[in-house]
Amino acid sequence: MSTTKGLEGVVATTSSVSSIIDGVLTYHGYDIDDLADNASFEEVVYLLWNHRLPDYEELQSFKKELADAAEVPEAVIEQMKSYPIKDVHPMAALRTAVSNLGLFDSSADETSEEANRQKAIKLQAQLPTLVTAFSRIRDGKDPVAPKTDLSFAANFLYMLTGEEPDEISEKAFNKALVLHADHELNASTFTARVCVATLSDMYSGVTAAIGALKGPLHGGANERVMKMLSEIGEVDNAEPYIKDALARKVKIMGFGHRVYKNGDPRAKHLKEMSRQLTHITGETKWYDMSVKIDEIVTNEKGLLPNVDFYSASVYHSLGIEHDLFTPIFAVSRVSGWIAHILEQFENNRLIRPRAEYTGPDRQEWLPIEKR
Ligand code: ACO
């Protein structure tokens, strides 16, 4: 038996949801650059789940289905209030709340195509409601009920702040959602597929995936990028800070990627959004500092920014609290998780690899008094 640490380079399944070929990311064949510049997030979700873009009527009815399903059971919100609110990270709260949603869905364990479709709609529609409700509850505010006449992106920002966003914020947030929606067999998606390949249910698959996304080597990096930027504080401090960290072999969050060696195609979009948004807020230092760090890490280590690097200053500029960055990643990526879960169900086989044993040879059993 041979092993590959971290399963690097191992092709573990076939999939038609998204591809990374020669550094180009596509969702079902559509280049991420085209989608980022043109698509609404709802269109992208439809594409991921149905393997084609919707026509106008289909998109309107899909948007309505999502909007109508956005309210979560009151009991789930009430239970959230009993979490140890001040000490709980919103990603941990989201993981628990999604698991909780499953308890209140009587069709959670139904496996028909229609039941799975209904669960997909609910999960996609309700994650934003959970994330924003948690954020408000911990700030001592009442959750804001979703509106049915707003886009998915606008509704998130509305439920977070209680105010409808301006067009620039809505467009930027929509683009960020599009860019994060799917990414082939990343760690959280693989987790979701492993979970449901046992024929467990969709809520379990998404709960497991949230747990995997939470880690700093995956989705948790974006919050830590902002922590680093805040610690650096000013552009002039970037060089000594980064060089010192690299000398101490500390990983710089938001850099490097298992699959892309010549750059993450999503990063350039987020970089430009960061430039524009920091210009609007007047806090250009976050962008300037990010560009400086980018230059240093590229020169010193040959590592390029991934999706998490510039998304940090983008979300900060939209006025979003830093520990909500990773939950927002989940609000988008749940679309990809669901697409992969549905694909796994269509042609399922238990995922059960082997391990190369490295423990001692056969040992003789000793009764406890002789050990
Ligand atoms: N900063 C400094 N050094 C790094 C970084 C980094 N961000 N990333 C990789 N390296 C170094 C490692 O220390 C290692 O060096 P060594 O060979 O001298 O020990 C070498 O590059 C290879 O790194 P691995 O961690 O083995 O690479 P792997 O493919 O396993 O990891 C990963 C990819 C996890 C993304 C890594 O680059 C990393 O930890 N980056 C920082 C966290 C991050 O930004 N995660 C988000 C990724 S994108 C996403 O999941 C949404």
Side-chain angles (χ1 to χ4, degrees):
M1 268 196 282
S2 70
T3 61
T4 312
K5 195 170 180 194
L7 298 182
E8 179 166 4
V10 171
V11 179
T13 188
T14 58
S15 174
S16 71
V17 182
S18 64
S19 67
I20 306 168
I21 299 170
D22 298 331
V24 177
L25 170 63
T26 72
Y27 296 167
H28 208 72
Y30 290 93
D31 195 311
I32 191 66
D33 291 345
D34 289 333
L35 295 170
D37 287 340
N38 299 300
S40 68
F41 179 64
E42 293 91 323
E43 267 175 309
V44 165
V45 179
Y46 189 100
L47 169 67
L48 293 173
W49 295 359
N50 297 285
H51 305 168
R52 64 177 178 82
L53 287 169
D55 65 22
Y56 181 81
E57 296 301 329
E58 287 167 333
L59 181 59
Q60 298 317 307
S61 89
F62 187 61
K63 281 181 171 176
K64 185 169 175 346
E65 259 190 293
L66 284 173
D68 288 348
E71 279 198 37
V72 303
E74 192 51 38
V76 174
I77 299 289
E78 283 307 311
Q79 286 178 20
M80 239 181 208
K81 293 178 185 167
S82 72
Y83 298 169
I85 232 90
K86 294 286 168 213
D87 306 323
V88 166
H89 192 281
M91 261 318 252
L94 181 65
R95 184 198 57 217
T96 299
V98 168
S99 180
N100 220 345
L101 276 186
L103 302 182
F104 291 90
D105 185 341
S106 57
S107 69
D109 286 317
E110 274 181 41
T111 54
S112 69
E113 217 178 293
E114 184 47 29
N116 277 333
R117 220 190 89 76
Q118 289 304 324
K119 280 179 274 187
I121 292 278
K122 280 188 200 169
L123 277 158
Q124 184 66 62
Q126 294 178 3
L127 255 71
T129 317
L130 294 176
V131 171
T132 53
F134 180 78
S135 166
R136 292 184 66 87
I137 288 168
R138 71 174 176 174
D139 289 347
K141 297 177 190 156
D142 285 331
V144 171
K147 277 195 173 180
T148 52
D149 59 344
L150 295 179
S151 70
F152 191 91
N155 209 16
F156 181 93
L157 296 172
Y158 167 69
M159 287 192 285
L160 192 63
T161 62
E163 283 171 28
E164 290 189 26
D166 58 45
E167 203 184 331
I168 292 173
S169 303
E170 179 182 357
K171 274 192 169 167
F173 196 67
N174 177 75
K175 196 183 254 203
L177 293 174
V178 168
L179 289 167
H180 285 82
D182 196 47
H183 205 227
E184 203 222 48
L185 211 55
N186 61 89
S188 54
T189 300
F190 186 52
T191 303
R193 290 188 80 130
V194 170
C195 179
V196 303
T198 67
L199 295 185
S200 187
D201 67 292
M202 198 181 281
Y203 288 98
S204 301
V206 171
T207 303
I210 293 171
L213 187 72
K214 180 171 174 283
L217 297 187
H218 191 14
N222 56 11
E223 177 187 347
R224 286 159 179 91
V225 169
M226 202 61 223
K227 183 169 181 289
M228 173 176 71
L229 295 178
S230 306
E231 281 169 9
I232 293 173
E234 299 298 333
V235 183
D236 288 348
N237 301 335
E239 187 156 352
Y241 181 101
I242 296 296
K243 285 193 170 166
D244 174 63
L246 290 176
R248 290 185 290 113
K249 299 217 168 290
V250 173
K251 277 191 166 177
I252 311 298
M253 291 291 125
F255 285 88
H257 203 278
R258 176 63 68 76
V259 180
Y260 300 116
K261 300 302 170 201
N262 296 317
D264 182 329
R266 301 164 295 181
K268 62 178 179 295
H269 293 282
L270 290 154
K271 181 177 180 182
E272 177 55 18
M273 286 158 74
S274 167
R275 191 187 68 75
Q276 288 179 14
L277 291 170
T278 55
H279 189 76
I280 291 169
T281 60
E283 286 197 302
T284 50
K285 71 172 187 175
W286 303 117
Y287 174 74
D288 296 340
M289 214 187 296
S290 301
V291 170
K292 185 78 190 158
I293 296 168
D294 189 346
E295 278 168 19
I296 301 166
V297 178
T298 305
N299 289 339
E300 297 283 318
K301 290 286 288 186
L303 289 167
L304 295 164
N306 57 49
V307 71
D308 286 324
F309 187 62
Y310 286 102
S311 61
S313 46
V314 165
Y315 294 142
H316 175 80
S317 303
L318 290 172
I320 293 168
E321 284 181 86
H322 302 169
D323 62 1
L324 296 180
F325 293 1
T326 315
I328 286 170
F329 195 152
V331 161
S332 167
R333 182 57 59 85
V334 68
S335 62
W337 294 332
I338 289 168
H340 281 265
I341 288 171
L342 295 173
E343 189 176 60
Q344 186 66 37
F345 281 146
E346 268 169 29
N347 185 19
N348 188 56
R349 193 168 186 221
L350 180 77
I351 299 172
R352 199 300 186 194
R354 297 296 312 274
E356 185 185 336
Y357 178 65
T358 57
D361 282 344
R362 294 288 292 268
Q363 303 204 74
E364 190 186 339
W365 168 259
L366 288 176
I368 197 155
E369 61 280 6
K370 292 198 176 161
R371 287 176 213 161

